[in-house]
Amino acid sequence: MPAHAATAVSCANIAFIKYWGNTDEALRLPANASLSMNLAGVETETTVTFVDNLAADEVFIGGAAQSGTPYDRVVGNLDLIRERAGLRAFARVESKNNFPAGAGIASSASAFAALSVAGAAAAGLKLTEAELSALARRGSGSAARSVPGGFVEWGPGQPGQPDSSFGVSIAPPGYWDLVDVIAVISQKHKIVGSTGGHALAGTSPLQAARVGSVPDRLERCRAALLARDFDHFAEVVEADSNIMHAVMMTSAPPLFYWEPITLAIIKAVRRWRAEGLPVCYSIDAGPNVHCLCPGEHAAEVERRLRENLDANRLLVARPGGPARLLG
Ligand code: DP6
């Protein structure tokens, strides 16, 4: 068999309604539905090559050979692909991000979306978007939302059914010119990453209240998004980020992802909005602050973040398309 290769590119995404906690850790079935926007230009590019004479899978990220957990997670997805395709060959995986990994921008989302799309194509599989999304989810939950384009909803699926939980686009990237101005506070790796955090979610007495109140927030967020109603959108996005961080801070052990600068930006964003600038914040499992605003206000949000705050740098992303094969 000659080498079979494919390359795919996928965007990261920012969740407006967050995923935190699983009902099934092994299958990565989420405790609740979530809703996100793909981030154009914040991307992972991955090439998967199945090679006959390899003795084991090889995984390179940014040119560096991987071992331990990152390696095992990639091999886990390759095993699912091999099983589906009836393939035995090992693969070489070469992946690169154009943004810092492990600091609260969802590098695992774009990574596993690109890996799944490239890996399935390299193995000769013809999968639907839903099947690719469910496959990406097995590597990293939020990757389910980076497979379809634009604004994406990801449902919790059915117990014991691995293909029942996948992302679906509810609006294309051009539907609303929403911009994410990301204040990058730290490029360091997190001490407790998302996977460890999800496993702790159930230890917080607030998790049941969060999960129980997601359907209402999800409905309000979807309605505000589809109506391009920024005021209602801002309220529900901030509320959902806050309650997820309340769960994180009250799990055992507690997880504090914020730095002092994170809270300073939260307060500044709320003050700017009260003064009439339409902008709101959302924070993932890290200290970075995603400042969301309508496109026509992005330059002003950037200017204020640069002027007043000590962010390392700003990344600016508009709604992004689906994961795609290159070539
Ligand atoms: C806080 O998808 O990164 O960003 O499935 O363990 O890879 P794993 O977790 P991951 O969790 C994302 C958590 C979040 C919220 C979100 O993106 O919905």
Side-chain angles (χ1 to χ4, degrees), residues 241-289:
S241 175
N242 292 346
I243 197 167
M244 179 184 71
H245 283 273
V247 168
M248 292 163 160
M249 291 177 195
T250 51
S251 65
L255 300 172
F256 297 103
Y257 287 113
W258 299 358
E259 294 295 330
I261 180 77
T262 310
L263 185 59
I265 297 176
I266 288 173
K267 290 189 168 192
V269 163
R270 286 190 62 85
R271 191 172 63 246
W272 296 339
R273 187 157 84 256
E275 290 164 3
L277 180 67
V279 55
C280 68
Y281 64 82
S282 184
I283 300 155
D284 282 339
N288 299 338
V289 186

Coordinates of all heavy atoms in Angstrom, one line a residue, residues 241-289:
S241 N -20.8 32.2 31.2 CA -19.4 32.2 31.5 C -19.2 32.2 33.1 O -18.5 31.5 33.7 CB -18.6 33.3 30.9 OG -17.3 33.4 31.3
N242 N -20.0 33.2 33.7 CA -19.9 33.3 35.2 C -20.3 32.0 35.9 O -19.6 31.6 36.8 CB -20.8 34.4 35.6 CG -20.3 35.8 35.2 OD1 -19.2 36.0 34.7 ND2 -21.2 36.8 35.3
I243 N -21.4 31.4 35.5 CA -21.8 30.2 36.2 C -20.8 29.1 36.0 O -20.6 28.3 37.0 CB -23.3 29.9 35.9 CG1 -23.8 28.9 37.0 CG2 -23.5 29.3 34.6 CD1 -25.3 28.8 37.0
M244 N -20.2 29.0 34.8 CA -19.2 27.9 34.6 C -18.0 28.2 35.6 O -17.5 27.2 36.2 CB -18.7 27.8 33.2 CG -17.7 26.7 33.0 SD -17.0 26.6 31.4 CE -16.0 28.1 31.3
H245 N -17.6 29.4 35.7 CA -16.4 29.7 36.6 C -16.8 29.5 38.0 O -16.0 29.1 38.8 CB -15.8 31.0 36.2 CG -15.0 31.0 35.0 ND1 -13.7 30.6 35.0 CD2 -15.4 31.1 33.7 CE1 -13.2 30.6 33.8 NE2 -14.2 30.9 32.9
A246 N -18.1 29.7 38.4 CA -18.5 29.5 39.7 C -18.4 28.0 40.0 O -18.0 27.6 41.1 CB -20.0 29.9 39.9
V247 N -18.8 27.1 39.1 CA -18.6 25.7 39.2 C -17.1 25.3 39.4 O -16.7 24.6 40.3 CB -19.2 24.9 38.0 CG1 -18.8 23.4 38.0 CG2 -20.7 25.0 38.0
M248 N -16.3 25.9 38.5 CA -14.9 25.6 38.6 C -14.3 26.0 40.0 O -13.6 25.2 40.6 CB -14.1 26.4 37.5 CG -14.4 25.9 36.1 SD -13.9 27.2 34.9 CE -13.8 26.3 33.4
M249 N -14.7 27.2 40.5 CA -14.1 27.7 41.7 C -14.6 26.9 42.9 O -14.1 27.0 44.0 CB -14.5 29.2 41.9 CG -13.7 30.1 40.9 SD -14.3 31.8 41.1 CE -13.7 32.5 39.6
T250 N -15.7 26.2 42.8 CA -16.4 25.5 43.9 C -16.2 24.0 43.7 O -16.9 23.2 44.5 CB -17.8 25.9 44.1 OG1 -18.5 25.7 42.8 CG2 -18.0 27.3 44.5
S251 N -15.4 23.5 42.8 CA -15.2 22.0 42.7 C -14.1 21.7 43.7 O -13.5 22.5 44.3 CB -14.9 21.6 41.3 OG -13.6 22.2 40.9
A252 N -13.9 20.4 43.9 CA -12.9 19.9 44.9 C -11.9 19.0 44.2 O -12.2 17.9 43.8 CB -13.7 19.1 46.0
P253 N -10.6 19.5 44.0 CA -10.2 20.8 44.5 C -10.7 21.9 43.6 O -11.1 21.6 42.4 CB -8.6 20.7 44.3 CG -8.5 19.7 43.2 CD -9.6 18.7 43.4
P254 N -10.7 23.2 44.1 CA -11.2 24.3 43.3 C -10.2 24.6 42.2 O -9.0 24.5 42.3 CB -11.3 25.4 44.3 CG -10.4 25.1 45.3 CD -10.3 23.6 45.4
L255 N -10.8 25.2 41.1 CA -10.0 25.6 39.9 C -10.1 27.1 39.8 O -11.3 27.6 39.5 CB -10.4 24.9 38.6 CG -10.3 23.3 38.7 CD1 -11.0 22.7 37.4 CD2 -8.9 22.9 38.8
F256 N -9.1 27.8 39.9 CA -9.1 29.3 39.7 C -8.3 29.6 38.4 O -7.1 29.6 38.4 CB -8.5 30.0 40.9 CG -9.2 29.8 42.2 CD1 -8.7 28.9 43.1 CD2 -10.4 30.4 42.4 CE1 -9.4 28.7 44.3 CE2 -11.1 30.2 43.6 CZ -10.6 29.3 44.5
Y257 N -9.0 29.8 37.3 CA -8.3 30.0 36.1 C -8.0 31.5 35.8 O -7.2 31.9 35.0 CB -9.2 29.5 34.9 CG -9.2 28.0 34.8 CD1 -10.4 27.3 35.0 CD2 -8.0 27.3 34.4 CE1 -10.4 25.9 34.8 CE2 -8.1 26.0 34.3 CZ -9.2 25.3 34.5 OH -9.3 23.9 34.4
W258 N -8.7 32.4 36.6 CA -8.5 33.8 36.4 C -7.2 34.3 37.0 O -6.7 33.8 38.0 CB -9.6 34.6 37.0 CG -11.0 34.4 36.4 CD1 -11.3 33.5 35.4 CD2 -12.2 34.9 36.9 NE1 -12.7 33.5 35.2 CE2 -13.2 34.4 36.1 CE3 -12.5 35.9 37.9 CZ2 -14.6 34.7 36.3 CZ3 -13.9 36.2 38.0 CH2 -14.9 35.7 37.2
E259 N -6.6 35.4 36.4 CA -5.5 36.2 37.0 C -6.1 37.5 37.3 O -7.2 37.8 36.9 CB -4.4 36.4 35.9 CG -3.7 35.1 35.5 CD -2.9 34.5 36.7 OE1 -2.5 35.2 37.6 OE2 -2.8 33.2 36.7
P260 N -5.5 38.3 38.2 CA -6.0 39.6 38.5 C -6.4 40.4 37.3 O -7.5 41.1 37.3 CB -4.9 40.3 39.3 CG -4.2 39.1 39.9 CD -4.2 38.0 38.9
I261 N -5.6 40.4 36.2 CA -5.9 41.1 35.0 C -7.2 40.7 34.3 O -7.9 41.4 33.7 CB -4.7 41.1 34.0 CG1 -4.9 41.8 32.7 CG2 -4.3 39.6 33.7 CD1 -4.8 43.3 32.9
T262 N -7.5 39.4 34.5 CA -8.8 38.8 34.0 C -10.0 39.6 34.5 O -10.8 40.1 33.8 CB -8.9 37.3 34.3 OG1 -7.7 36.7 33.9 CG2 -10.1 36.7 33.5
L263 N -10.0 39.7 35.9 CA -11.1 40.4 36.5 C -11.1 41.9 36.2 O -12.1 42.5 36.0 CB -11.0 40.3 38.1 CG -12.1 40.9 38.9 CD1 -13.5 40.2 38.5 CD2 -11.9 40.6 40.4
A264 N -9.9 42.5 36.0 CA -9.8 43.9 35.6 C -10.5 44.1 34.2 O -11.2 45.1 34.0 CB -8.4 44.4 35.6
I265 N -10.2 43.2 33.3 CA -10.9 43.3 32.0 C -12.4 43.0 32.1 O -13.1 43.8 31.4 CB -10.2 42.3 31.0 CG1 -8.7 42.7 30.8 CG2 -10.9 42.4 29.6 CD1 -7.9 41.8 29.9
I266 N -12.8 42.1 32.9 CA -14.2 41.8 33.1 C -14.9 43.1 33.5 O -15.9 43.5 32.9 CB -14.5 40.7 34.2 CG1 -14.1 39.4 33.6 CG2 -15.9 40.7 34.7 CD1 -14.1 38.2 34.7
K267 N -14.3 43.8 34.5 CA -14.9 45.0 35.0 C -14.9 46.1 34.0 O -15.9 46.9 33.8 CB -14.2 45.5 36.3 CG -14.5 44.5 37.4 CD -14.0 45.1 38.7 CE -14.5 44.3 39.9 NZ -14.3 44.9 41.2
A268 N -13.8 46.2 33.2 CA -13.7 47.3 32.2 C -14.8 47.0 31.1 O -15.4 48.0 30.7 CB -12.3 47.3 31.6
V269 N -14.9 45.8 30.7 CA -15.9 45.5 29.6 C -17.3 45.8 30.1 O -18.1 46.4 29.3 CB -15.8 44.0 29.2 CG1 -17.0 43.5 28.4 CG2 -14.5 43.7 28.4
R270 N -17.6 45.5 31.3 CA -19.0 45.8 31.8 C -19.2 47.4 31.9 O -20.3 47.9 31.6 CB -19.2 45.2 33.1 CG -19.5 43.6 33.0 CD -20.0 43.0 34.2 NE -21.3 43.5 34.7 CZ -22.4 43.0 34.2 NH1 -22.5 42.1 33.3 NH2 -23.6 43.6 34.7
R271 N -18.1 48.1 32.3 CA -18.2 49.5 32.3 C -18.4 50.1 30.9 O -19.2 51.0 30.7 CB -16.9 50.1 33.0 CG -17.0 51.6 33.4 CD -15.8 52.0 34.2 NE -14.6 51.9 33.5 CZ -13.6 51.1 33.8 NH1 -13.7 50.3 34.8 NH2 -12.5 51.1 33.0
W272 N -17.6 49.6 30.0 CA -17.7 50.1 28.6 C -19.1 49.9 28.1 O -19.7 50.7 27.4 CB -16.7 49.4 27.7 CG -15.2 49.7 28.1 CD1 -14.8 50.8 28.8 CD2 -14.1 48.9 27.7 NE1 -13.4 50.7 29.0 CE2 -12.9 49.6 28.3 CE3 -13.9 47.8 27.0 CZ2 -11.7 49.1 28.2 CZ3 -12.6 47.2 26.9 CH2 -11.5 47.9 27.5
R273 N -19.7 48.7 28.4 CA -21.0 48.4 27.9 C -22.1 49.4 28.5 O -22.9 49.9 27.8 CB -21.4 47.0 28.1 CG -22.7 46.6 27.4 CD -22.9 45.1 27.1 NE -23.4 44.4 28.2 CZ -22.7 43.5 28.9 NH1 -21.4 43.4 28.7 NH2 -23.2 42.9 29.9
A274 N -21.9 49.6 29.8 CA -22.8 50.5 30.5 C -22.7 51.9 29.9 O -23.7 52.7 29.8 CB -22.5 50.5 32.0
E275 N -21.5 52.3 29.4 CA -21.3 53.6 28.8 C -21.8 53.6 27.3 O -21.7 54.7 26.7 CB -19.8 54.0 28.9 CG -19.4 54.3 30.3 CD -17.8 54.3 30.4 OE1 -17.1 54.1 29.4 OE2 -17.3 54.4 31.5
G276 N -22.2 52.5 26.8 CA -22.8 52.5 25.4 C -22.0 51.7 24.4 O -22.4 51.7 23.2
L277 N -20.8 51.2 24.7 CA -20.0 50.4 23.7 C -20.5 49.0 23.8 O -20.3 48.3 24.8 CB -18.5 50.5 24.0 CG -17.6 49.7 23.1 CD1 -17.6 50.4 21.7 CD2 -16.1 49.7 23.6
P278 N -21.0 48.4 22.7 CA -21.5 47.1 22.8 C -20.4 46.0 22.8 O -19.8 45.7 21.7 CB -22.4 46.9 21.5 CG -22.0 48.0 20.6 CD -21.3 49.0 21.4
V279 N -20.1 45.5 23.9 CA -19.0 44.5 24.1 C -19.4 43.7 25.3 O -19.9 44.2 26.3 CB -17.6 45.2 24.2 CG1 -17.6 46.2 25.3 CG2 -16.5 44.1 24.3
C280 N -19.1 42.4 25.2 CA -19.2 41.5 26.4 C -18.1 40.5 26.5 O -17.3 40.4 25.5 CB -20.6 40.8 26.4 SG -20.7 39.5 25.1
Y281 N -18.0 39.8 27.6 CA -16.8 38.9 27.8 C -17.3 37.5 27.9 O -18.4 37.2 28.3 CB -16.0 39.3 29.0 CG -16.7 39.2 30.3 CD1 -16.9 37.9 30.9 CD2 -17.4 40.2 30.9 CE1 -17.6 37.7 32.1 CE2 -18.1 40.1 32.1 CZ -18.2 38.8 32.6 OH -19.0 38.7 33.8
S282 N -16.3 36.6 27.6 CA -16.5 35.2 27.9 C -15.1 34.6 28.1 O -14.2 34.9 27.4 CB -17.2 34.5 26.7 OG -17.4 33.1 27.0
I283 N -15.0 33.7 29.1 CA -13.7 33.1 29.5 C -13.8 31.6 29.6 O -14.7 31.1 30.2 CB -13.3 33.7 30.9 CG1 -13.2 35.3 30.8 CG2 -12.0 33.2 31.4 CD1 -13.5 36.0 32.1
D284 N -12.8 31.0 29.0 CA -12.8 29.5 29.0 C -11.9 29.0 30.1 O -11.7 29.7 31.1 CB -12.3 29.0 27.6 CG -13.4 29.0 26.6 OD1 -14.6 29.0 27.0 OD2 -13.1 29.0 25.4
A285 N -11.3 27.8 30.0 CA -10.5 27.3 31.1 C -9.1 27.9 31.1 O -8.1 27.2 30.9 CB -10.4 25.8 31.0
G286 N -9.0 29.1 31.3 CA -7.7 29.9 31.3 C -7.9 31.3 31.6 O -9.1 31.7 31.8
P287 N -6.9 32.1 31.6 CA -7.1 33.5 32.1 C -7.4 34.5 30.9 O -7.8 35.6 31.2 CB -5.7 33.9 32.6 CG -4.7 33.0 31.8 CD -5.5 31.7 31.5
N288 N -7.4 34.0 29.7 CA -7.6 34.9 28.6 C -9.1 35.4 28.5 O -10.0 34.6 28.9 CB -7.3 34.3 27.2 CG -5.8 33.9 27.2 OD1 -5.0 34.4 27.9 ND2 -5.5 32.9 26.3
V289 N -9.3 36.6 28.1 CA -10.6 37.1 28.0 C -11.0 37.3 26.5 O -10.4 38.0 25.8 CB -10.8 38.5 28.8 CG1 -12.2 38.9 28.8 CG2 -10.2 38.4 30.2

